[in-house]
Amino acid sequence: MTDQSQPAEGEIPAKPTSASRTTLSHIMTGSDTNLLGTVHGGVIMKLVDDAAGAVAGRHSGGPAVTASMDEMVFLEPVRVGDLVHVRAQVNWTGRSSMEVGVRVLAERWNESTPAQQVGSAYLVFAAVDEAGKPRLVPQVVPETERDERRYQEAQIRRTHRLARRRAIKELRERRAAEGIDD
């Protein structure tokens, strides 16, 4: 598992993954549908952002804003009458940022069948102070082997996000220097 040593002076004590984990549940209605008669992906994305935001705020102990959403995957359609459960937890933390993993499950409201995974996403949140400036967040402490795997996978995603940003910035600067883009 990760290092669980005592925080240095001025640092925030670390928190376990279970400290901020949450589930948001919502029944889907006709007002949530798209032109195909299934629940609009944007409705699911809002629920994902809401649950992830609650987890980020809980973990950081204050306001946190969505910085990015990665890999929103829709596995199955959600229907009117489905009870949707959005489960979220902090997977990784930096100085002021947190990756929140989200799993979306759905079950028929009037059946006793198990919920089925219908989607997943990874979001990055930045903790902010009253002026909207970044603030420190507690480090997350994985508690299980699954949490540890999620922590390690989050580090890989972060590395890829940063490399992608850097490559795009370099390409734009190069094209601007060559007078290709205006």
Side-chain angles (χ1 to χ4, degrees):
M1 298 285 173
T2 58
D3 180 22
Q4 297 181 29
S5 59
Q6 294 297 318
E9 190 172 329
E11 286 186 14
I12 303 167
K15 290 184 177 180
T17 52
S18 62
S20 56
R21 189 178 292 141
T22 195
T23 300
L24 177 122
S25 296
H26 188 78
I27 217 164
M28 299 290 105
T29 66
S31 63
D32 299 319
T33 60
N34 59 26
L35 296 174
L36 298 175
T38 57
V39 173
H40 197 286
V43 171
I44 301 298
M45 290 174 74
K46 182 178 182 330
L47 293 173
V48 164
D49 192 46
D50 288 346
V55 165
R58 271 183 173 180
H59 183 82
S60 68
V65 296
T66 310
S68 69
M69 178 184 270
D70 289 354
E71 302 179 35
M72 180 70 214
V73 177
F74 297 99
L75 302 169
E76 297 288 336
V78 177
R79 301 169 294 165
V80 170
D82 280 355
L83 180 57
V84 172
H85 308 285
V86 184
R87 296 183 180 158
Q89 78 171 44
V90 173
N91 289 335
W92 176 91
T93 51
R95 287 184 46 78
S96 62
S97 63
M98 302 157 273
E99 183 194 270
V100 178
V102 180
R103 179 173 287 181
V104 183
L105 302 121
E107 62 181 300
R108 296 305 294 166
W109 69 274
N110 60 348
E111 297 175 10
S112 59
T113 56
Q116 174 184 5
Q117 184 173 352
V118 295
S120 64
Y122 300 100
L123 296 87
V124 177
F125 280 79
V128 295
D129 63 17
E130 306 78 34
K133 301 292 183 200
R135 62 182 174 80
L136 294 177
V137 299
Q139 294 302 297
V140 68
V141 179
E143 297 174 280
T144 66
E145 287 300 321
R146 177 180 276 181
D147 292 341
E148 184 65 34
R149 176 186 52 79
R150 289 176 177 162
Y151 184 90
Q152 291 170 353
E153 290 173 356
Q155 289 177 307
I156 293 167
R157 283 187 292 274
R158 179 176 186 272
T159 299
H160 287 205
R161 273 192 297 274
L162 295 175
R164 183 177 59 237
R165 270 188 220 142
R166 191 170 35 256
I168 289 170
K169 180 180 178 187
E170 290 170 1
L171 174 64
R172 288 179 179 173
E173 289 171 351
R174 189 171 60 249
R175 292 179 62 86
E178 295 170 358
I180 296 173
D181 289 335
D182 36 354

